[in-house]
Amino acid sequence: MTHKSPDTTDVAPARDRQTRVVHPRNDIPDGFASFSTPIARASTVVFPNLAALRDYDPHSDTQWRYGLHHTPTSMTLAQQIAALEGGTHTLLQPSGLAAISNVYFGIVKQGDDVLIPDNVYDPNRSHGQWLARDFGISVRYYDPMIGAGIDGLIQPNTRLLWLEAPGSVTMEVPDVPAMTQVARARGVVSAIDNTWSAGLAFDAFKHGCDISVQALTKYQSGGSDVLMGSVTTRDDNLHYRLKQARMHLGLGVAADECALVLRSLASLKLRFEAHDRSAMAVAQWLKTRPEVAAVLHPAFADCPGHDVWRRDFTGAGGLFSVVFHERYTPAQIDAFVEGLRLYAIGFSWGGAHSLAVPYRVSTMRTVTRWPHRGGLVRLYIGLEDSGDLIADLAQSMDAHLAG
């Protein structure tokens, strides 16, 4: 008996029960419908005949080829992320960092030059250092507030300009349109890490970016239990280059995890707005505390790039940072963080639980001077009651930052 397709209803029943289990008949009645996306798991994708197997167009996004590349479940999520970001194509990745890797390996090669903001997400900086050390890529860092002045840094071999709006720890908001306009005029691909805005509060393509990267691990998942990333574009040729790189790197996503993200997407906007409201309440309270030297929240007028945020963004979400007065030692700042009861210590924000992590920013930069001398704590405001979160901050300040 020759197996030609997954549908074996036209095949005579097998004699052996084991064979019947491996080649089941499809006796499920039609007419079932629900709101959830079916989970299609696959490594092997079955072709109806050899002609279909051999007739493969690598430019096509609609041909089924292998489970690593896409299944109906992952394709559904990719299409929804593209629609959310206003893009045309989305490639899903097993993590946000994998999405960053996909951009690097899809765009640059030995001898090329990359520009990275000095306040970049630290794993991106580490990735750039690795490429420079082992792959012959020139990697340079720039002041994130340089704006159109980026033109003076572009070299003949510059191929990729990374943007991050705002910086994920220090919260400076760059003038993305000014920089992407220069990059496009000079033939440089611009890629933005758009995770902070969840693709909701900032329209990367409207503001000139060629590629928008997100860690779907964060707000899109919303459960602190899924690792996933996305690379979204509008340009067909750029999409093809990135797709080929993803294939060579062997990057893929599991259908079950796609289903978890799909389940959360419907509530994404509501959750993001709830985080935004609570974070603003907490940040405004922190501004009144004598222990605090600065609240780095893009919606506040004294945050670097606030005017750009007000012009280009529609919200802020739940992530911002606090700088404490320099009279507090790193040990006191650590004790404050460990004394919090509702804020967990951990990375990968975007879920329901609030987080707090201290950073020593002076060790994280190479070309710009950090203007603050006090310790910085990045806060992520979850979905707890904002009054309870404020009370928790107050009790730990009183216990560990008194005097």
Side-chain angles (χ1 to χ4, degrees), residues 234-253:
R234 282 183 172 177
D235 182 87
D236 291 346
N237 292 329
L238 195 55
H239 169 65
Y240 176 70
R241 290 169 62 186
L242 293 165
K243 186 170 75 167
Q244 288 297 101
R246 185 183 71 158
M247 181 184 70
H248 293 314
L249 291 167
L251 299 175
V253 295

Side-chain angles (χ1 to χ4, degrees), residues 29-342:
D30 295 331
F32 175 82
S34 77
F35 292 115
S36 63
T37 301
I39 300 176
R41 302 182 186 90
S43 54
T44 300
V45 172
V46 180
F47 298 88
N49 50 54
L50 287 174
L53 181 147
R54 292 165 178 158
D55 184 23
Y56 174 61
D57 178 5
H59 289 86
S60 173
D61 286 337
T62 60
Q63 287 181 298
W64 303 116
R65 182 71 177 175
Y66 190 58
L68 179 70
H69 308 319
H70 55 228
T71 67
T73 310
S74 63
M75 183 179 287
T76 299
L77 177 57
Q79 290 174 351
Q80 291 196 24
I81 297 300
L84 174 71
E85 293 229 55
T88 305
H89 310 284
T90 290
L91 297 169
L92 299 178
Q93 321 286 341
S95 69
L97 182 56
I100 290 170
S101 299
N102 189 183
V103 172
Y104 275 118
F105 286 102
I107 303 302
V108 299
K109 62 182 185 303
Q110 185 177 11
D112 288 344
D113 176 65
V114 178
L115 289 168
I116 301 176
D118 205 26
N119 63 349
V120 73
Y121 169 63
D122 193 59
N124 193 338
R125 176 183 287 272
S126 296
H127 204 308
Q129 292 169 343
W130 175 52
L131 291 175
R133 183 182 66 247
D134 294 348
F135 291 87
I137 307 296
S138 167
V139 176
R140 293 176 296 138
Y141 301 91
Y142 67 88
D143 182 345
M145 307 305 287
I146 197 171
I150 196 72
D151 187 61
L153 297 179
I154 293 176
Q155 302 174 161
N157 65 332
T158 303
R159 298 289 177 264
L160 177 62
L161 169 66
W162 273 108
L163 303 154
E164 191 167 311
S168 65
V169 173
T170 50
M171 300 294 149
E172 301 95 335
V173 185
D175 191 339
V176 173
M179 299 173 74
T180 57
Q181 183 177 2
V182 169
R184 189 156 295 180
R186 298 290 297 272
V188 176
V189 173
S190 60
I192 187 169
D193 185 334
N194 202 21
T195 303
W196 186 85
S197 83
L200 294 172
F202 182 77
D203 188 328
F205 298 106
K206 176 183 175 182
H207 294 94
C209 299
D210 297 310
I211 301 170
S212 180
V213 168
Q214 286 203 65
L216 306 185
T217 305
K218 306 297 195 292
Y219 289 119
Q220 283 79 10
S221 163
S224 303
D225 57 357
V226 173
L227 287 167
M228 195 173 295
S230 64
V231 178
T232 302
T233 60
R234 282 183 172 177
D235 182 87
D236 291 346
N237 292 329
L238 195 55
H239 169 65
Y240 176 70
R241 290 169 62 186
L242 293 165
K243 186 170 75 167
Q244 288 297 101
R246 185 183 71 158
M247 181 184 70
H248 293 314
L249 291 167
L251 299 175
V253 295
D256 296 80
E257 293 181 341
C258 289
L260 288 173
V261 178
L262 282 165
R263 185 177 63 178
S264 298
L265 279 187
S267 64
L268 172 62
K269 186 172 185 292
L270 295 175
R271 289 184 286 107
F272 186 83
E273 291 172 349
H275 291 296
D276 196 343
R277 288 191 300 270
S278 289
M280 182 62 71
V282 174
Q284 288 173 336
W285 176 83
L286 283 164
K287 290 276 280 186
T288 70
R289 293 292 298 200
E291 301 90 346
V292 173
V295 177
L296 304 177
H297 189 300
F300 288 178
D302 56 352
C303 185
H306 165 73
D307 290 342
V308 172
W309 176 86
R310 187 172 57 185
R311 182 193 70 194
D312 295 342
F313 287 72
T314 60
L319 192 73
F320 67 94
S321 293
V322 180
V323 179
F324 289 91
H325 277 292
E326 61 183 282
R327 64 177 175 268
Y328 300 115
T329 66
Q332 286 178 293
I333 300 298
D334 288 352
F336 159 74
V337 171
E338 292 187 336
L340 294 168
R341 298 162 183 164
L342 296 179

